[in-house]
Amino acid sequence: MLESLKTILSAAREGHYAVGAFNCLSVEHARGAVRAAEEEKSPIILQLAEVQFPCAPIELMAPVYLELARQAEVPVCVHLDHGQSFETCARAIKLGFNSVMFDGASLPFEENARVTSEVVRMAKAVGVDVEAELGRVGDAGTDEGKDLKDAFTDVGQAGLFVERTGCDALAISIGNLHGRYIATPKLNITRLKELKEALSTPLVLHGGSGTSREDFKSCIHNGICKVNVATTLQLAVMDAVKEYVSSGNTSYIDMKGVIESATEKQVRLFIDLFESSGKV
Ligand code: 13P
């Protein structure tokens, strides 16, 4: 069933677990992810980022996500990831997404708060929830190894930001990066604890791929309620397809099944790690 971000994340916050938000770029990807959630009896978030529109157009993916959500036996939220403008958020909402992220993290604080507030006002008018971002989550390709402390989410600013914007979830920066890390990152759990203490808003960890098991556990036991994963899923699917083809298989139809199963297997591992199994 289609469920709101707010409902899914407030249960996660109360229950001290996190819900996986998976960037799904094809029908097989999305079906595999929902099947995993059904097998695990877990809520799930299907998401698509604006930078992914060229390979998975939102107009094509929206009906797929929404129909899968409606048919699912578990709560499914259909979420826009990293919307880069007010207009993109409005476009996703018009297509039926029941949750959007406006990512103004690269903007000055005032500008980020102003545009986020406008998105929240528009989204709330039609019953849609909003995730925002404060502090910058960089890219493993360009930012790994750099001192990122200045990009970390500031506790005082976060309180002000949430109060001013009324966002339903906040993506934070604690040393996490998007993409493929070379070395395993070490997240700043002290900053996370401070943010949890100061805010009642569910917190979101972006850049889930490559995070150590230990850091994941510390995150979900200290206020992270949503974890975004993209790269690991893509790599798992690529490996499965490579193996399928190199073993001499030639059926395209069966290969679609391989993609679905590889996604399902990987998503089940994350659901188990995030402790959301059996929560529905
Ligand atoms: P990864 O590709 O590092 O898993 O990050 C996904 C993400 O944060 C999407 O918003």
Side-chain angles (χ1 to χ4, degrees):
M1 75 225 52
L2 187 64
E3 187 56 273
S4 75
L5 185 77
K6 212 169 164 169
T7 303
I8 289 177
L9 297 192
S10 56
R13 193 172 194 277
E14 232 162 75
H16 306 287
Y17 60 91
V19 177
F22 302 98
N23 293 66
C24 295
L25 306 182
S26 68
V27 173
E28 296 78 28
H29 233 159
R31 283 179 76 184
V34 171
R35 211 163 65 193
E38 288 180 329
E39 288 295 322
E40 292 291 331
K41 304 209 178 328
S42 162
I44 189 169
I45 298 161
L46 295 181
Q47 63 181 18
L48 183 68
E50 185 167 356
V51 290
Q52 295 168 329
F53 291 180
C55 92
I58 188 169
E59 280 75 14
L60 298 182
M61 294 310 292
V64 172
Y65 280 12
L66 288 165
E67 192 50 34
L68 281 167
R70 288 189 198 105
Q71 287 178 10
E73 291 159 10
V74 294
V76 181
C77 172
V78 173
H79 177 78
L80 170 73
D81 186 29
H82 292 289
Q84 293 163 6
S85 66
F86 178 93
E87 287 72 18
T88 305
C89 293
R91 184 173 157 202
I93 291 171
K94 192 166 174 228
L95 288 165
F97 279 55
N98 67 342
S99 177
V100 293
M101 174 192 191
F102 170 67
D103 177 2
S106 60
L107 301 172
F109 177 86
E110 284 298 327
E111 184 67 356
N112 186 3
R114 185 184 67 74
V115 184
T116 302
S117 302
E118 286 174 4
V119 172
V120 169
R121 181 155 181 252
M122 178 258 301
K124 290 293 153 198
V126 288
V128 167
D129 296 331
V130 179
E131 175 184 334
E133 181 167 321
L134 189 69
R136 197 178 65 82
V137 176
D139 286 303
T142 46
D143 294 319
E144 189 166 355
K146 291 185 187 162
D147 182 1
L148 296 168
K149 279 192 198 68
D150 287 348
F152 284 4
T153 307
D154 179 85
V155 181
Q157 278 197 344
L160 208 59
F161 185 84
V162 168
E163 197 180 310
R164 288 246 312 256
T165 63
C167 64
D168 303 291
L170 186 69
I172 57 165
S173 167
I174 52 168
N176 44 318
L177 296 173
H178 289 115
R180 246 167 139 159
Y181 294 101
I182 299 164
T184 305
K186 190 83 200 92
L187 302 183
N188 190 320
I189 303 301
T190 307
R191 178 63 58 95
L192 171 62
K193 286 180 180 166
E194 291 164 359
L195 286 162
K196 188 197 175 204
E197 201 54 36
L199 307 169
S200 53
T201 312
L203 303 175
V204 181
L205 184 76
H206 281 242
S209 301
T211 305
S212 70
R213 192 181 168 81
E214 187 196 352
D215 270 354
F216 266 138
K217 290 294 180 192
S218 302
C219 280
I220 67 177
H221 296 147
N222 287 291
I224 291 294
C225 303
K226 172 177 183 269
V227 181
N228 286 12
V229 181
T231 306
T232 300
L233 275 196
Q234 292 167 13
L235 295 176
V237 166
M238 297 261 295
D239 284 348
V241 169
K242 266 192 250 166
E243 194 187 319
Y244 174 77
V245 173
S246 64
S247 310
N249 294 299
T250 54
S251 162
Y252 176 75
I253 300 212
D254 288 351
M255 189 186 72
K256 285 166 76 74
V258 167
I259 295 173
E260 214 172 295
S261 302
T263 307
E264 180 187 347
K265 191 171 159 201
Q266 190 61 59
V267 170
R268 284 187 78 163
L269 292 174
F270 278 117
I271 287 175
D272 181 52
L273 189 57
F274 302 159
E275 301 178 20
S276 67
S277 297
K279 299 293 196 243
V280 295

